[in-house]
Amino acid sequence: MRSQNRVLEVELTARNVPGAHGSTLYCYTDAAGRESPTLRVKPGDLVILHLKNALTATDVAKASMPTHIHPASLSGDTGPENCGGGEMSTVSTNLHFHGLTIPPVCHQDDVLKTLVEPGDAAFEYRFRIPDDEPPGLYWYHPHVHGFSKQQLLGGASGALIVEGIERAKRVLSGLPERVFVIRDQDLLNPNAPPAKSEPVVPKFLVDRDGDAANTGTGFGKPAKDLSINYVPVAYPDYAPAVIEMRPKERQLWRVLNAAAITYLNIEVLFNHAPQPLGVVAMDGVPLSHDDPQGEMVSWQKHLVIPPGARVEFILDGPADGEDGLLVTRTVDTGPGGENDPNRMLAKIIAKADAPEPQSRLSSSPEPLAASAIRWLGDVTPVRVRRFYFSEKLDNPDDPTSAVEFYLTEEGQQPKMFDMNSSEPNIVVQQGTVEDWIVENRSSELHDFHIHQLHFLLIDYMGKRVTENFLRDTVNVPYDTGRSLTYPSVRLRMDFRDPNIVGTFVYHCHILEHEDKGMMGSIRVDPPAARNNQAKVATHERSNSDAETPSRVAQRLVKSR
């Protein structure tokens, strides 16, 4: 669905239906009944999205309610102060616009107070895509703490594209593009024996949630099945989906990992040989710093994509008669992690009469103006903060027995995220830049994500990293217990954009970890000299698109 006359207005209804073996499937349908449409917008466009909740309670949903989440959380009278209000439950929903730099306020991108309940009138999201939003792949999904995994695992997600990537990467001019949303779901064949083509796996364990634990072999039953654009690729045979391309045609592939818990390690094979993948963007941000001509491409043989992350890359299709496969290789998630084995996702078939992809990039793009903001890597941070991932094990000798998950600032006591707390975990000032060092003190992978902004990876495992792009997700390796220091990443956090004034969250994007407490909240205040003025302006704002708190702050910044 594309914006028209600088406006994209969409009606989406959240629905669920029973799936196999007692599971529940979720998706969004638009007014025409299409499932989870890809939304296409341009910088400066106004988005008006009407979300209707048609979810129904199921026994499975009720049974999966986290013990630390109380049904009355966020309850109260409906109204603007509650941003929708209602009782938090297994059928509550909302939307998060992952990666977009839009205000974390009511009717835009608030996930802390917004609850849409079954029977409510359609809830209106109304926001404007910033003029300087990087062109690339973003996405939308529900974000009700305690229930995010359940709805996302069932399929509730969709892609959102800010158009114009060829303006930043002119090497893409005129290319056809494909969008692939890879989701995970409960196993369709949980009791099936492994395929005969697989080697015998010496051990089979399940974690606290009943998912297959990491075997460390690259084989064995996966924790979850995968699907690609809603085509299931199910254990044990992994019968693949089909992608048709014209022989040797060059395309831009946009791949979103919309899985709730599954890591991807994408590889393309032609006649069993790995093919070069020309990366041009990560997490919606083109690899364009220090590339004014837009010709730089990072050629890789495989791409690890954590849950929530996106990768956009150039692929030259197979020749006529070549066998092509899109696969995901195993990811070692650690002794406490789930099993993400080798498996096929899709066959790539070269056909002279393959259908034309639905979208093609402009062949004569107007160059994207250089950013007027100083490159994040050249900014000196005002402070350094330290955080760490950790877990509480039910059995200290069993790394798969985690029952509570924490994301803690150094010096604080680890505790599960409290939705009822009125105080944020972190307070920062808009206009500043900080360095965050995030450690992993557990025996499984964690996937750091923060809302409303992108960050620069500075160090990975103690080694300096030089990247010419920003991210909104990053993998933090697990602790093996064999090192004097914990695995860590150092991130340069960018709080300069006035659009992000307000309160939002950071968390592990493995959503069963987030649901069980691995999350924190951050409040971005306007600069101190203008704080009181911004509060008054915020209090007096109307519900119109033109009078959001961030726009008030932006005017104040520009009037200095």
Side-chain angles (χ1 to χ4, degrees), residues 196-497:
K196 293 181 180 179
S197 59
E198 278 207 355
V200 175
V201 176
K203 61 178 180 177
F204 175 69
L205 299 173
V206 295
D207 65 13
R208 181 83 181 185
D209 298 297
D211 297 326
N214 181 24
T215 66
T217 65
F219 299 97
K221 182 184 294 187
K224 301 296 180 187
D225 277 335
L226 291 174
S227 68
I228 178 168
N229 291 359
Y230 283 134
V231 178
V233 184
Y235 168 83
D237 296 321
Y238 306 121
V242 174
I243 300 169
E244 294 183 350
M245 299 176 67
R246 295 173 184 174
K248 294 191 175 182
E249 181 177 44
R250 172 166 284 196
Q251 296 184 350
L252 171 66
W253 282 21
R254 305 182 190 253
V255 178
L256 157 62
N257 184 355
I261 68 171
T262 304
Y263 279 81
L264 300 175
N265 186 359
I266 292 296
E267 189 174 70
V268 173
L269 305 171
F270 293 167
N271 292 342
H272 306 289
Q275 299 301 299
L277 308 176
V279 179
V280 293
M282 291 281 295
D283 287 351
V285 180
L287 280 61
S288 55
H289 177 63
D290 289 338
D291 181 31
Q293 300 305 313
E295 299 294 338
M296 195 278 291
V297 176
S298 177
W299 293 97
Q300 307 290 331
K301 286 295 180 72
H302 70 105
L303 303 169
V304 176
I305 314 176
R310 293 86 67 209
V311 179
E312 299 168 73
F313 58 88
I314 295 168
L315 176 69
D316 293 321
D320 192 17
E322 277 189 312
D323 293 325
L325 283 178
L326 172 64
V327 304
T328 180
R329 295 295 193 187
T330 186
V331 175
D332 179 7
T333 60
E338 287 84 11
N339 200 36
D340 293 340
N342 301 302
R343 45 188 148 169
M344 291 186 292
L345 292 173
K347 286 185 178 180
I348 305 171
I349 299 176
K351 292 181 62 176
D353 60 349
E356 175 78 7
Q358 293 186 48
S359 187
R360 183 178 287 271
L361 301 173
S362 170
S363 58
S364 54
E366 179 183 347
L368 195 65
S371 174
I373 301 175
R374 189 180 181 191
W375 171 242
L376 186 57
D378 296 333
V379 179
T380 301
V382 298
R383 67 179 54 85
V384 179
R385 300 182 194 262
R386 291 180 175 269
F387 300 82
Y388 61 93
F389 291 113
S390 61
E391 302 174 3
K392 177 183 177 180
L393 301 180
D394 187 44
N395 177 359
D397 296 324
D398 180 3
T400 69
S401 66
V403 291
E404 294 183 6
F405 295 78
Y406 315 118
L407 177 48
T408 311
E409 186 175 18
E410 189 69 64
Q412 302 297 314
Q413 187 69 24
K415 60 182 181 179
M416 302 168 77
F417 180 72
D418 182 5
M419 283 292 294
N420 294 313
S421 175
S422 60
E423 293 298 319
N425 297 99
I426 302 293
V427 177
V428 304
Q429 284 192 342
Q430 182 266 318
T432 63
V433 168
E434 299 187 355
D435 274 11
W436 288 13
I437 297 172
V438 183
E439 292 182 344
N440 189 349
R441 301 182 184 179
S442 78
S443 61
E444 65 176 311
L445 288 183
H446 292 298
D447 175 17
F448 179 85
H449 168 60
I450 188 168
H451 290 206
Q452 317 315 131
L453 60 98
H454 286 77
F455 51 78
L456 180 66
L457 178 62
I458 300 291
D459 291 314
Y460 186 84
M461 296 286 284
K463 296 182 179 180
R464 185 76 176 180
V465 173
T466 302
E467 293 188 340
N468 65 343
F469 61 94
L470 307 182
R471 304 167 175 258
D472 61 44
T473 56
V474 67
N475 187 46
V476 188
Y478 64 87
D479 179 33
T480 64
R482 298 190 296 270
S483 175
L484 296 177
T485 59
Y486 291 108
S488 68
V489 297
R490 186 180 184 119
L491 313 173
R492 187 145 299 165
M493 312 299 291
D494 192 352
F495 302 110
R496 292 176 294 175
D497 196 319

